[in-house]
Amino acid sequence: MSNSELLAVEPLDLQFPFELRKQISCSLYLTNKTDNHVAFKVKTTNPKKYCVRPNTGVVLPRSTCEVLVTMQAQKEAPSDMQCKDKFLLQGVIASPGVTAKEVTPEMFSKEAGHLVEETKLRVTYVAPPQPPSPVHEGSEEGSSPRASVSDNGQASEFSSQRFDKVEPQENTSEARALITKLTDEKQSAIQLNNKLQRELDQLRRDSKISQSGMPLMYVLLVGLIGLILGYIMKST
């Protein structure tokens, strides 16, 4: 638990039982140690990898708020099972009665003279729980799932990291929108192809008609000349 004056944070290490191609969640508990409303905001060095709900909010006096941190499904596992991602929790005293919708980025601006309390969190991967084995192959006392251990000097590493605000991700909605767009484009292409095919067929029919009409005109023209010649011969 943190030793902050505004918000007590538990845990300081976000532990994720790592599994490939599976979303994994971890709960973060914020306890307001004051008699004031405390606004908070969560940042991370890897905002595309995590989804935080809520990422901003207000903790009522002497109460606790749960924040759910979800790691998106990963396609590859790190070779050493260690994670360099970091989180930063910012807290600031808010006006009485303020709501989560009224929390703004300006409230956490140190340049504006606001007293912002910051708590840094690290991420560790742990082995997923294994189902109990019916066969006992000897005592394994003292062994534990392998977890990542952070190196010394975390404070300097935190200071050099860039934290970005976590934005809620709607991958499912984006995928559906993309599928709908591709479907519409496919239908438009099919309709255009059908239209071109109809126009080509019409051109072919017109060409056949024009070709069949030429001998008829020729016969009529020859007949007309014959009639004229016959009339002239009779007149003479």
Side-chain angles (χ1 to χ4, degrees):
M1 182 178 294
S2 64
N3 296 323
S4 58
E5 297 180 359
L6 300 181
L7 294 175
V9 183
E10 179 69 25
L12 293 177
D13 288 343
L14 298 176
Q15 296 186 354
F16 292 92
F18 189 89
E19 293 185 58
L20 287 176
R21 297 176 178 83
K22 182 179 180 181
Q23 284 190 346
I24 309 168
S25 298
C26 177
S27 292
L28 188 66
Y29 297 96
L30 314 180
T31 301
N32 187 348
K33 301 165 63 175
T34 72
D35 295 324
N36 302 307
H37 288 65
V38 176
F40 70 88
K41 179 170 65 173
V42 181
K43 293 183 176 182
T44 181
T45 57
N46 198 344
K48 294 182 179 180
K49 185 177 178 180
Y50 300 94
C51 177
V52 180
R53 300 288 179 85
N55 60 334
T56 59
V58 176
V59 186
L60 300 179
R62 305 295 175 181
S63 63
T64 300
C65 173
E66 180 182 6
V67 176
L68 188 65
V69 182
T70 301
M71 182 176 67
Q72 304 300 324
Q74 301 298 299
K75 297 181 180 180
E76 297 180 357
S79 58
D80 55 359
M81 284 297 288
Q82 294 200 13
C83 182
K84 297 181 180 180
D85 300 333
K86 305 294 187 299
F87 280 83
L88 180 68
L89 176 71
Q90 295 180 308
V92 63
I93 295 178
S95 303
V98 68
T99 63
K101 294 183 179 180
E102 297 172 335
V103 176
T104 61
E106 289 74 16
M107 298 173 63
F108 303 92
S109 174
K110 296 180 181 179
E111 290 76 8
H114 297 152
L115 181 61
V116 182
E117 183 179 83
E118 295 182 341
T119 302
K120 299 168 184 176
L121 312 173
R122 60 177 61 90
V123 177
T124 58
Y125 295 149
V126 297
Q130 300 295 330
S133 175
V135 179
H136 299 282
E137 299 181 354
S139 175
E140 296 291 339
E141 295 181 1
S143 63
S144 60
R146 182 183 178 185
S148 64
V149 180
S150 300
D151 298 331
N152 293 330
Q154 285 293 336
S156 60
E157 184 177 354
F158 271 121
S159 62
S160 63
Q161 293 282 358
R162 175 185 175 183
F163 292 91
D164 297 323
K165 182 179 178 182
V166 181
E167 298 293 344
Q169 299 184 2
E170 299 295 342
N171 294 334
T172 302
S173 300
E174 294 178 359
R176 291 177 179 174
L178 179 59
I179 292 174
T180 302
K181 180 180 179 181
L182 292 176
T183 302
D184 294 341
E185 291 179 353
K186 179 180 178 181
Q187 293 296 331
S188 299
I190 293 175
Q191 293 176 1
L192 179 59
N193 182 65
N194 293 336
K195 181 180 179 181
L196 293 175
Q197 187 64 39
R198 289 194 299 269
E199 292 179 355
L200 181 59
D201 293 340
Q202 183 64 37
L203 289 174
R204 288 175 178 174
R205 288 194 295 269
D206 294 344
S207 177
K208 290 180 179 179
I209 293 173
S210 61
Q211 291 176 0
S212 62
M214 288 299 294
L216 179 61
M217 292 295 295
Y218 180 78
V219 172
L220 292 176
L221 181 59
V222 172
L224 180 60
I225 294 174
L227 290 175
I228 294 173
L229 291 176
Y231 176 80
I232 294 173
M233 290 178 66
K234 287 181 180 182
S235 298
T236 57

